[in-house]
C-alpha cells in the first residue's frame, strides 16, 4: 500500500548554501571549539542544549557545538527539504523508491481508528487509503495479541523459540531482554539467528517438543539462515515424536507459527498459524508488527500496547515539534556535524542498563543497514561520508574494556550515554553507583586532566550526549526505539540517500549459494586464488 503521494524534491546536503557555510564555520570556529570554555562562557548552556521529548530527556550540552553551528545545521535541514520528506513518509508516499514501497512502520503504532477522538493528533495524521490500512493494522494487531495471550495462558508451553535473523531477531530479542522484569515467569524465551548449528543445537538440547512453540520469523520467508534453522527445528521436532498430521497429538501445526509477509511460503512449510504484515514495513523497522509476537508473548498484550503508545508519542513529536525542539532532528543534525565536518568515523552507544545490553547490536543494524550507502537517491556516487560505525557495550562493562581509547586514543569518538532515573528491582542500592559512573565518564571525557606525565594526561574536550529515561518500561522503550528510527531518517534525508533498501547484503548471499556445493565437491575452478586456497583447507579431508 502506498498513498500515491508524489515524492517531494530533495536537495542533497552538499548542494545547499548551508553546507558551504557550515564548512567555513567549522574551519573558523568548529575545529578549535572547547567545551570547557563554552560552559564557562555560557552558564545557561545546559538549559539551552537540553530538551524533553516523550519519555526521553536529552542533554546535548556536552557536544562540540556552538549556537552558529546549530543555526546552520537547522538551516541545512530546511534547505535539504527534510520537513517535506518527513511529511511524505507520514503521508504514505513510496519514499523507498528503489523498491517502490511506502515506509510506514509508524502506522503500526498509530492508535486504532475507533480510538480517534476529535482534536486528538491521530485524527489528523491518517486519511484515505492510510485509514483503511490502519484498520487492517489493528485487526492484525488484535489477532496477534489474542494469540499471544492464548500462548501465555497455555501452561503446556514452557519454551518459545524465535527463529529469525536481522530485523526478525534483533528488535524482539533486545526488547525482551530490556523488559525482562515484566516477562511471563512460566515462559522461557529463546532467540536463534545464526546458521552456525551451535546456536540452535544448544537450545534444542534444553527442550521437549511437547512444551515448545517455534516462531519462524522472516519477512520474506526465504532468508537462508532462517530457513535452514527452521528446517532443522522441524526435523528435530519430527524426530522427537512430532508429526505433520494436524490431528496428531503432537502436531507441527500446533507447535510452529510463522510471522511473515510471505503467507504462501509459510503454508508450504506446513505452518497453519501465520501472522502476516506488509511490504511497507522494513525488516529493521518491524518489531512493531507480527515480528513482535515473541515480545507480546513475553510481556502480554497490555504492555505491548504501551510499547506501541510510547513509540507513537515519539512519532507525533517528530511529526509536529518545531525543528529546534525536535529531538530526532537535533540528534540527526549532530550526527551530520560530527561525520561530515569533524570527520568522526564512529559513535559509541553506552547504555548504563543491563536491560539495554543488546541495544548497541540492534542499533548497528538500524543505522548501518539504513545509512551505510555510497550513492544518493539518483544512484550518483556521494562525495561525502555517510553512516558512522555504531558500536558499544553496556556500562560499566565498557569502562573496563575500550573506554581507555575513548579517553586517550587518537580518535575522537562521541559517546551516547543512556541512563535510567530509576533502576530495576534487583539490588536497588547499586543503582546510584551505576548512575555515578555514567555521569563521571561523561564529565571525565569533557574535562580531561592535565599532567606533565604524558601517560597520565587526558586532553578532555571529548563529546557525549546523555539520554535519560525515567525507567525501563514499555512506553519508554518504545519511545527510545522510535527516537533512533527517526534520527536515522533525518541523517538519511540530509545525505540524500534511500535509508530503506539494503542492496549491499545481496552479493554475499549469491556467492554463498555458489560456494556451498563447491565445498562439498572440491570444485575451485574460476575462483580467485585466496578463496580457492581457503577452500582446499576447509574441505573435508579425504
Ligand atoms: O539480509 C538483510 C536482511 O534482509 C535484513 O534487512 C532483514 O532484517 C534480514 O535480512 C532478515 O530478513 P527476513 O526477515 O526476510 O528473513
Amino acid at each position: 500500500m502506498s498513498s500515491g503521494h508524489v515524492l517531494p524534491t530533495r536537495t542533497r546536503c552538499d548542494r545547499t548554501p548551508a553546507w558551504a557555510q557550515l564548512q567555513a564555520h567549522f574551519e573558523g570556529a568548529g575545529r578549535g571549539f572547547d567545551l570547557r570554555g563554552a560552559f564557562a562562557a555560557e552558564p545557561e548552556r545546559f538549559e539551552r542544549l537540553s530538551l524533553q521529548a516523550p519519555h526521553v530527556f536529552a542533554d546535548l550540552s556536552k557536544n562540540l557545538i556552538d549556537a552558529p553551528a546549530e543555526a546552520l545545521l537547522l538551516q541545512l535541514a530546511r534547505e535539504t527539504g527534510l520537513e517535506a520528506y518527513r511529511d511524505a513518509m507520514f503521508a504514505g508516499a513510496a519514499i523507498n523508491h528503489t523498491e517502490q514501497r511506502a515506509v510506514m512502520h509508524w502506522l503500526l503504532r498509530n492508535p486504532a481508528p475507533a480510538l480517534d477522538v476529535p482534536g486528538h493528533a491521530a485524527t489528523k495524521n491518517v486519511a484515505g487509503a492510510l485509514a483503511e490500512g490502519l484498520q487492517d493494522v489493528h485487526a492484525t494487531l488484535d489477532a496477534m495479541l489474542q494469540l499471544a495471550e492464548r500462548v501465555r495462558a497455555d501452561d503446556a508451553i514452557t519454551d518459545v523459540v524465535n527463529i529469525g535473523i536481522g530485523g526478525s531477531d534483533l528488535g524482539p530479542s533486545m526488547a525482551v531482554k530490556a523488559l525482562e522484569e515484566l516477562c511471563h515467569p512460566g515462559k522461557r524465551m529463546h532467540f536463534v539467528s545464526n546458521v552456525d548449528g551451535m546456536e540452535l543445537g544448544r537450545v534444542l538440547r534444553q527442550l521437549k517438543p511437547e512444551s515448545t512453540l517455534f516462531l519462524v520469523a522472516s519477512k520474506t520467508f526465504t532468508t537462508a539462515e532462517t530457513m535452514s534453522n527452521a528446517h532443522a527445528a522441524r526435523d528435530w521436532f519430527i524426530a522427537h515424536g512430532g508429526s505433520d498430521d494436524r490431528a496428531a497429538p503432537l502436531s507441527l501445526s500446533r507447535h510452529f507459527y510463522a510471522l511473515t509477509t510471505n503467507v504462501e511460503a509459510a503454508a508450504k512449510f506446513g505452518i497453519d498459524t501465520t501472522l502476516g504484515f506488509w511490504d511497507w514495513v522494513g525488516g529493521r523497522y518491524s518489531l512493531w508488527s507480527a515480528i513482535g509476537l515473541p515480545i507480546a508473548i513475553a510481556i502480554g498484550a497490555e504492555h505491548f500496547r504501551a510499547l506501541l503508545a510510547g513509540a507513537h508519542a515519539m512519532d507525533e513529536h517528530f511529526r509536529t515539534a518545531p525543528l529546534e525542539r525536535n529531538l530526532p532532528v537535533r540528534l540527526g543534525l549532530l550526527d551530520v556535524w560530527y561525520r561530515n565536518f569533524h570527520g568522526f568515523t564512529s559513535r559509541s552507544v553506552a547504555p548504563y542498563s543491563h536491560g539495554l545490553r543488546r541495544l548497541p547490536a540492534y542499533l548497528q543494524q538500524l543505522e548501518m543497514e539504513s545509512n551505510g550507502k555510497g550513492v544518493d537517491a539518483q544512484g550518483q556516487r556521494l562525495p561525502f561520508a555517510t553512516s558512522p560505525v555504531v558500536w558499544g557495550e553496556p556500562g560499566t562493562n565498557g569502562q573496563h574494556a575500550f573506554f581507555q581509547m575513548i579517553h586517550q586514543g587518537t580518535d575522537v569518538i562521541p559517546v551516547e550515554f543512556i541512563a535510567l532515573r530509576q533502576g530495576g528491582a534487583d539490588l536497588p542500592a547499586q543503582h546510584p553507583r551505576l548512575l555515578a559512573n555514567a555521569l563521571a565518564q561523561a564529565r571525565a571525557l569533557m574535562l580531561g586532566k592535565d599532567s606533565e606525565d604524558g601517560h597520565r594526561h587526558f586532553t578532555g574536550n571529548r563529546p557525549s550526549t546523555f539520554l535519560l529515561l525515567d525507567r525501563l518500561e514499555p512506553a519508554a522503550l518504545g519511545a527510545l526505539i522510535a527516537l533512533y528510527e527517526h534520527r536515522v531518517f533525518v541523517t538519511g534525508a540530509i545525505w540524500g540517500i534511500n535509508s530503506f533498501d539494503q542492496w549491499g547484503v545481496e552479493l554475499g548471499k549469491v556467492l554463498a549459494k555458489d560456494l556451498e556445493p563447491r565445498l562439498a565437491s572440491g570444485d575451485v575452478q574460476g575462483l580467485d586464488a585466496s578463496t580457492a586456497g581457503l577452500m582446499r583447507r576447509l574441505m573435508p579431508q579425504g
Side-chain angles (χ1 to χ4, degrees):
M1 177 181 56
S2 133
S3 63
H5 189 98
V6 186
L7 292 183
T9 314
R10 304 169 69 186
T11 305
R12 215 173 70 187
C13 51
D14 57 322
R15 297 176 179 147
T16 61
W19 192 256
Q21 290 170 40
L22 277 160
Q23 194 57 54
H25 180 68
F26 177 73
E27 296 305 338
R31 201 191 291 281
F33 178 86
D34 186 75
L35 270 171
R36 295 149 295 196
F39 273 98
E42 188 191 2
E44 305 298 308
R45 185 173 168 85
F46 171 77
E47 281 72 27
R48 193 172 62 76
L49 280 164
S50 59
L51 65 149
Q52 179 71 56
H55 303 283
V56 185
F57 175 82
D59 172 19
L60 310 184
S61 64
K62 291 198 208 73
N63 281 292
L64 306 177
I65 189 149
D66 60 9
E70 271 182 81
L72 284 171
L73 286 165
L74 289 164
Q75 182 190 328
L76 176 71
R78 295 196 174 92
E79 288 175 0
T80 53
L82 169 68
E83 288 153 298
Y85 190 57
R86 171 198 63 191
D87 295 347
M89 173 176 77
F90 282 112
I95 61 169
N96 175 2
H97 67 285
T98 59
E99 298 180 300
Q100 283 104 47
R101 287 177 186 165
V103 172
M104 298 206 295
H105 44 277
W106 55 270
L107 193 69
L108 300 168
R109 47 232 192 182
N110 212 91
L115 295 180
D116 257 5
V117 287
H120 186 284
T123 50
K124 292 182 236 121
N125 70 341
V126 289
L130 297 193
E132 274 166 43
L134 186 57
Q135 283 185 353
D136 226 13
V137 161
H138 276 275
T140 310
L141 173 64
D142 292 346
M144 167 177 133
L145 295 182
Q146 275 168 21
L147 185 63
E149 288 299 339
R150 276 209 300 281
V151 175
R152 285 166 66 80
D154 183 349
D155 292 336
I157 298 295
T158 56
D159 291 86
V160 178
V161 184
N162 190 80
I163 298 178
I165 197 164
S168 299
D169 166 73
L170 289 164
S173 162
M174 176 270 290
V176 165
K177 286 173 182 67
L179 301 174
E180 208 165 291
E181 287 187 355
L182 299 175
C183 288
H184 191 303
K187 311 282 171 208
R188 277 183 297 268
M189 306 297 299
H190 310 270
F191 290 87
V192 172
S193 54
N194 203 324
V195 77
D196 183 341
M198 182 177 179
E199 192 178 18
L200 179 61
R202 287 195 170 188
V203 171
L204 291 179
R205 275 202 287 281
Q206 306 165 37
L207 304 177
K208 293 195 182 78
E210 61 276 15
S211 54
T212 301
L213 174 64
F214 290 97
L215 307 176
V216 184
S218 174
K219 177 176 169 181
T220 55
F221 223 79
T222 57
T223 303
E225 293 90 330
T226 300
M227 289 303 107
S228 176
N229 279 329
H231 283 283
R234 184 172 67 178
D235 293 347
W236 171 88
F237 183 77
I238 302 286
H240 288 77
S243 165
D244 278 335
D245 179 356
R246 289 187 177 84
L250 191 56
S251 70
L252 190 101
S253 159
R254 188 174 127 68
H255 290 268
F256 281 75
Y257 297 169
L259 320 174
T260 184
T261 58
N262 190 350
V263 178
E264 236 170 68
K268 255 195 207 146
F269 184 93
I271 294 182
D272 292 331
T273 305
T274 295
L275 288 174
F277 58 109
W278 305 269
D279 70 358
W280 43 260
V281 183
R284 51 196 173 274
Y285 299 86
S286 65
L287 73 87
W288 324 98
S289 71
I291 294 295
L293 180 65
I295 308 174
I297 292 174
I299 65 173
E302 200 186 321
H303 289 313
F304 192 84
R305 287 193 193 276
L307 181 81
L308 297 179
H312 176 66
M314 190 60 78
D315 294 340
E316 287 301 281
H317 169 78
F318 179 48
R319 199 173 66 80
T320 61
L323 298 190
E324 293 76 5
R325 307 295 300 162
N326 194 312
L327 188 53
V329 172
R330 297 301 304 268
L331 288 173
L333 290 175
L334 253 181
D335 291 339
V336 170
W337 178 238
Y338 283 158
R339 188 73 184 103
N340 300 115
F341 298 93
H342 281 276
F344 301 155
T345 55
S346 86
R347 189 174 91 245
S348 186
V349 181
Y352 274 64
S353 156
H354 184 67
L356 290 174
R357 62 195 176 279
R358 288 297 283 164
L359 185 71
Y362 168 78
L363 292 179
Q364 284 178 346
Q365 185 196 16
L366 180 65
E367 295 211 27
M368 299 200 276
E369 200 173 73
S370 296
N371 285 344
K373 309 285 165 64
V375 296
D376 67 13
Q378 281 67 46
Q380 302 298 315
R381 191 130 289 281
L382 293 171
F384 52 82
T386 58
S387 180
V389 174
V390 177
W391 59 286
E393 274 288 312
T396 58
N397 298 7
Q399 290 174 208
H400 298 275
F402 51 77
F403 264 63
Q404 162 63 40
M405 173 174 165
I406 297 182
H407 284 289
Q408 287 188 314
T410 50
D411 284 354
V412 175
I413 301 168
V415 183
E416 202 148 281
F417 294 94
I418 304 171
L420 312 174
R421 206 165 57 82
Q422 196 180 310
D426 289 317
L427 307 179
Q430 295 198 183
H431 193 61
R433 200 164 301 142
L434 182 67
L435 290 179
N437 271 278
L439 291 168
Q441 290 299 319
R443 201 167 134 73
L445 286 168
M446 170 173 73
L447 295 180
K449 184 171 165 278
D450 279 336
S451 170
E452 279 175 15
D453 174 355
H455 301 286
R456 290 178 169 77
H457 180 77
F458 291 73
T459 56
N461 203 33
R462 304 221 159 186
S464 67
T465 294
F466 213 99
L467 302 180
L468 200 52
L469 314 184
D470 266 354
R471 56 182 178 278
L472 200 48
E473 36 99 22
L477 181 67
L480 182 70
I481 300 169
L483 168 66
Y484 278 105
E485 288 178 348
H486 296 320
R487 170 198 196 153
V488 165
F489 179 94
V490 169
T491 45
I494 287 174
W495 287 325
I497 61 182
N498 179 3
S499 301
F500 301 100
D501 59 13
Q502 57 283 318
W503 300 107
V505 301
E506 296 305 322
L507 180 59
K509 290 185 191 175
V510 173
L511 296 189
K513 260 201 189 131
D514 169 57
L515 290 176
E516 193 177 329
R518 285 170 178 267
L519 267 174
S521 69
D523 172 15
V524 296
Q525 225 188 348
L527 296 178
D528 62 273
S530 164
T531 309
L534 291 169
M535 290 249 309
R536 284 196 200 92
R537 287 185 160 253
L538 288 168
M539 261 156 33
Q541 303 299 311

